[in-house]
Amino acid sequence: MSINKVGASTEIPTTHRGALIKVMKSISLVGGLLVLTVAASLIGCDPNKGGSTPAVSTPTVVPEVKSEAPAASAFAKPRKADGDLTIQVVVNSNSPFWDSMGIGLKAGLQEVGAKGGWSAPQQHDNNSQKALFEQQIAANVDGIAVSPIQANAFSAVIDAAIDKGVPVITFDSDAPKSKRLAYLGTNNYDAGVAAGNAAIKLFPSGGNVIAFVGNMSAENAQMRYKGFVDTVKSHNITMLQDPFEDDADITGRAHANVADAITKYGAKINGFLGLYSYNGPAIVDEVRKAGLLGKVKILCFDGEPRTLENLKNKIVDFSVVQKPYEFGRLSAKLLFLINRKGIDAALTELQPELEKNGMKLDMKTHIIDTGVQVITPENAPDFLKELNAKGLKST
């Protein structure tokens, strides 16, 4: 699908005119006494408001009035109560991790009777993702779900869409400082805790671990790593350095970083932690090249096909898997319902289904926690059967 890129513009609200104070002084001498009379008059008015401005006796600073963002009001009621809806999903990379999300998105769109699709930026950076996101805005879509590469940098992009009246939710990785209407996906801190608890079992006497990730500016990466470190730090498990970042260069830097870590730390490394889905296969490849298979522990996130195969073959020690199928399916349903009923009514309608599937909804923060599973070589066969039953090859 090809969409022409159209630049976005932001209207700047008019500022209030400052008040002009004219002070007239007259001095008269009566009976040897000096009498000072001060008269003040206020001239000017606010062109945006009716009525007159009352006189004041001292200069007054008039505060700038900012335009009200529609996030709190425009989406509290139906945006488009009937008619066709088009929903788009913008992911953060061309990873196989998103294949299951795409299948779930298709199922969700069919379930609610909407149109749509998903796309990934050609480069794993904020500007590329921003351009892709703005293409969807220019195409007048009815809702966008996005997994931001850089949480803080992308907040302004989300806010601009919300201010234009386009519903935006985040999934997989949040932008909590933005005006996004909801976040659905993993509680990434809890996912890091789950990985940390699994690591404690693998290293009962402690150990040295090195981590790898796409970009630590992403909220999901930050929270996974923090959850892991917070959990293992009192169990004599040490992180040798901050995570190696590869900017989603899956076939290049993701592998080179592992090789560099092996060269730098050698036998000091007891475990390799892959925070993103493609890091697991890259770790296995480089550990195999170095002749270290079976001598170190390999800890992963997500279930790419190769990671699942490596779990089954007892090469990977565990992987914390998410539910990307549900990311796609629930994004379609939530954005559809936001258009038809408004944000709070949409979440309320989804709540029974979420609870039935063991998911948690926080109505105050509009966060849906879809949960995780820790897959090991022992439970991998049963997990693979469940995936196959859904027609999925990864998660």
Side-chain angles (χ1 to χ4, degrees):
M1 177 175 65
S2 176
I3 303 175
N4 293 328
K5 178 183 177 183
V6 178
S9 62
T10 304
E11 183 178 352
I12 302 174
T14 305
T15 57
H16 287 261
R17 296 179 181 177
L20 176 63
I21 305 297
K22 291 186 175 181
V23 180
M24 300 175 62
K25 299 181 179 179
S26 63
I27 304 175
S28 62
L29 189 62
V30 179
L33 297 177
L34 182 64
V35 179
L36 177 64
T37 303
V38 181
S41 64
L42 178 66
I43 301 176
C45 64
D46 183 346
N48 295 318
K49 294 184 179 181
S52 60
T53 305
V56 292
S57 58
T58 55
T60 301
V61 178
V62 180
E64 179 183 354
V65 177
K66 296 181 180 180
S67 60
E68 180 186 358
S73 57
F75 300 103
K77 56 187 179 180
R79 172 184 177 272
K80 193 173 182 181
D82 53 34
D84 293 338
L85 292 174
T86 301
I87 293 165
Q88 286 290 332
V89 171
V90 177
V91 300
N92 55 23
S93 67
N94 283 302
S95 168
F97 173 76
W98 297 118
D99 294 345
S100 292
M101 187 283 301
I103 296 172
L105 174 64
K106 182 178 180 181
L109 291 171
Q110 290 176 344
E111 189 175 343
V112 299
K115 302 175 183 177
W118 66 284
S119 52
Q122 293 300 311
Q123 304 291 331
H124 185 76
D125 62 66
N126 186 69
N127 289 335
S128 296
Q129 191 176 43
K130 177 177 181 287
L132 186 60
F133 185 93
E134 290 178 341
Q135 287 177 11
Q136 314 308 325
I137 301 296
N140 295 316
V141 300
D142 298 296
I144 304 175
V146 61
S147 177
I149 295 171
Q150 296 183 11
N152 292 336
F154 209 79
S155 291
V157 184
I158 293 173
D159 291 353
I162 290 289
D163 290 346
K164 289 177 182 293
V166 180
V168 179
I169 65 172
T170 54
F171 70 99
D172 176 60
S173 187
D174 198 8
K177 295 180 181 179
S178 74
K179 298 176 184 177
R180 58 96 171 115
L181 300 180
Y183 166 73
L184 70 88
T186 301
N187 180 317
N188 284 289
Y189 182 86
D190 288 351
V193 170
N197 285 326
I200 291 168
K201 295 178 182 178
L202 290 176
F203 302 107
S205 301
N208 297 317
V209 177
I210 192 80
F212 305 88
V213 72
N215 196 313
M216 282 301 290
S217 63
E219 189 266 352
N220 59 355
Q222 295 170 10
M223 290 298 100
R224 288 178 198 178
Y225 188 65
K226 179 173 172 53
F228 183 87
V229 172
D230 285 352
T231 304
V232 304
K233 63 184 178 182
S234 61
H235 293 269
N236 200 30
I237 296 175
T238 302
M239 308 307 297
L240 290 171
Q241 67 165 64
D242 290 339
F244 281 82
E245 298 180 74
D246 54 58
D247 290 325
D249 183 359
I250 297 172
T251 59
R253 287 177 61 190
H255 286 74
N257 284 346
V258 181
D260 290 346
I262 293 171
T263 299
K264 183 176 181 179
Y265 294 106
K268 289 181 64 177
I269 304 174
N270 304 119
F272 294 80
L273 172 64
L275 292 168
Y276 275 6
S277 64
Y278 57 83
N279 291 128
I283 289 169
V284 170
D285 287 346
E286 297 305 318
V287 167
R288 178 181 281 114
K289 288 179 185 177
L292 296 176
L293 282 181
K295 299 177 182 178
V296 294
K297 303 296 184 181
I298 299 178
L299 328 175
C300 299
F301 274 82
D302 303 318
E304 287 204 1
R306 288 187 59 201
T307 296
L308 295 175
E309 186 69 19
N310 287 326
L311 277 164
K312 188 173 68 173
N313 293 332
K314 301 183 179 181
I315 295 173
V316 166
D317 293 274
F318 72 75
S319 189
V320 178
V321 301
Q322 305 177 81
K323 300 174 182 176
Y325 177 90
E326 293 298 336
F327 295 175
R329 189 181 73 86
L330 291 174
S331 289
K333 292 193 69 173
L334 181 54
L335 286 167
F336 176 87
L337 289 171
I338 289 171
N339 274 279
R340 294 296 195 238
K341 301 188 176 186
I343 177 62
D344 287 334
L347 290 169
T348 299
E349 182 165 326
L350 272 182
Q351 190 166 13
E353 178 184 347
L354 298 172
E355 292 177 349
K356 181 180 178 181
N357 291 312
M359 301 178 188
K360 300 175 183 177
L361 168 62
D362 186 329
M363 283 294 295
K364 184 177 181 180
T365 60
H366 291 184
I367 290 177
I368 298 171
D369 178 7
T370 51
V372 297
Q373 292 176 265
V374 179
I375 307 303
T376 65
E378 288 70 33
N379 63 17
D382 290 338
F383 181 73
L384 289 171
K385 287 180 182 179
E386 293 177 9
L387 286 185
N388 291 335
K390 293 181 180 179
L392 305 177
K393 297 181 180 179
S394 64
T395 188

